[in-house]
Amino acid sequence: MTDQYVATIDLGSNSFHMVIARYHGDSLRIVDRLKERVRLADGLDDQNLLSQEAMERGLACLRLFGERLRGFHATQVRVAGTFTLREAANAKEFVRQAQQILGFPIDIVSGNEEARLIYQGVAHTQNTQGQVLVIDIGGGSTELIIGRDFDCKLVSSRSMGCVSFTRKYFADGRLAEENFEQAIEAAEYQLAPVMGRYLSLGWDQVQGCSGTIKTLLEMCSAITQEPVIDLPGLLHIKSQLIKAGHIDKADIAGLGEDRKPLIAAGLSILLGLFRSLNLDKMGFSDGALREGLLYAFFGRATHHDTQVNTVQALSREYAIDTRQAERVRQTALALFAQVRTGWQLDEGFADLLGGAALLHEVGLHINFTGIHRHSAYILSNADLPGFTQEEQKALSALVRFHRKALRLSELEPLNYLPEQQLWRLVRLLRLAVALNRRRQDGVLPPLELGLGANDELRLNLPADWCDSNHLLLTTLEREQAYQAKVDWKMVLVKG
C-alpha cells in the first residue's frame, strides 16, 4: 500500500484528540495532531444527561476536525467514544449530530476494549521488556492493563477520572488534606475488586500514559531532574498543593494553567493506584488510545482474529454445540449472499450475522426455556474483546430475536446501525435456525432466497424435499406466521 493517510479520533471525557498518519509499506509516520479541551464530562448531570453546552463544545471541536478530514474516505478514519459517551443517557443524540458533522461513523468502545486499545498504543510506541503494567487516567475512567509484547493478559476499566473526581472532591478548588484523603480512599475503594488479580499476575515495569500522568511526570521531573514519576515526588506535589490552599494559588514547576483545574483529582487517583499496587515509581509513554486505534489499521486481520478468538472462547466457556452453531452460520451466510445486494448489506453485516449464528445458543448454559433472552443477557454483559459497544449490542439483539414471537418494541435502539438493517439480519438468522432444527448434516437442499416488493422474502424449496421433511416444513410455516404478525411477508415456494 502506498502513501495512504489514516486518521483516528479519541472522544475523551476531557479532551478530543485527532492523529493523522501516513503509511508506506510497513512504516507509519504521524504527520499531524489536533487536540481540543472540550470537558465533555463536565456536562453530565445527576441523571447522566449531557448538557446542551457540553454537546456544543464537542460539536464545535468536531467541526474543526471535520474540516481537516475533508477528502478522507470512511475506510481511512476511525472515531472512538469513551467513558462519557458510554455513560450519557442522551449519547445517541450527540453521536447522531457528531456523525453528521464529521461524515464518519463513531464507535463507542467498552471500557475493557478501550483498555486493550490503550495497551496497543503503548506497546507499539514504547520499548517494553517483560510483563508491563500500563495505567491511563482519563477524564471519566482509569484503565489498567497487564500485557507482554502485543498481547493483553489482564484489562480493567474503573469508573474514576479527573473530571468526575474534581467535581466530587475538589469542586470549590479548595486543597486540604481531608479532600485528598477522601479522594485517595475513593480510588482505593474503586480498585479493591480487581487488585488481587493484578498483584497475583505481577509485572516487570510500569508505564503511565495520558495528559494527567504526563503533567505529573513533568512536575516530578522538575523536583528530581529525572524522567520518572516516584512516590516521594508525588507526595511532595501533594504537600505543595495543600500549602497553596486553593488551586488558583498553586504555582508549581511543570503545572500549566490548562491542567490546574484537574491536577488534584489526577494526583489523588495516582496516589490511590500507588498505594493499592505497592508502586514506588513508573515511567511514561506517549502512546495511548488514539495510537492504539491508529495501529489497528495495520492489524485489521488481527482485529478480525480477535473477534474470532472471542467467539471461540465463549463457545468453550458455555459449552456451545459448535457443529450446530456452524451449520446455522453457514446457512445464514448462504442466505445473506443471495440478498445482500438487494438489501444493501456490506461485509460488516455478514460478520455480525455469522457471530450471532455461532453464539445464538450461548443461553443454553442457563436453560432452554427462554434461551433467546438468556443468550441476549450473556452477550450484553460479557467482555467481548475485539467488538465495539455497538457491535456487542447488535449481537445481543440478533440472538434475542432469533426465535419465538417478534416483540419489536423490545429492541434497544442502536446509534449507527439502521433498525431496518438489523431486522433484515434477524430474519436471516431466524430462517437459518428454523432450517437447521434437525441438527444434522446433509439435510438441506440447495437454498434459493429471493426478494420481492416491500422486503418480501421468497424461499424456494424442492417439492420432493418438502414431501420428506414435514417437521422442517412445519417449522418454516410457523416462522412464516411469526413474521406475518409483524407485517413481514415470507413466501414458501414449494416445487
Side-chain angles (χ1 to χ4, degrees), residues 11-12 29 72 79 87 115 193 230 278 322 325 368 387 406 414 466 483:
L11 305 179
R29 180 160 296 176
F72 277 68
V79 189
E87 294 293 303
D230 61 14
N278 302 320
T322 53
F368 179 74
F387 289 89
L406 286 151
L414 298 172
C466 293
Q483 297 203 20

Side-chain angles (χ1 to χ4, degrees), residues 363-376:
L364 272 178
H365 183 78
I366 299 173
N367 61 40
F368 179 74
T369 304
I371 177 180
H372 48 305
R373 293 181 182 276
H374 301 323
S375 294

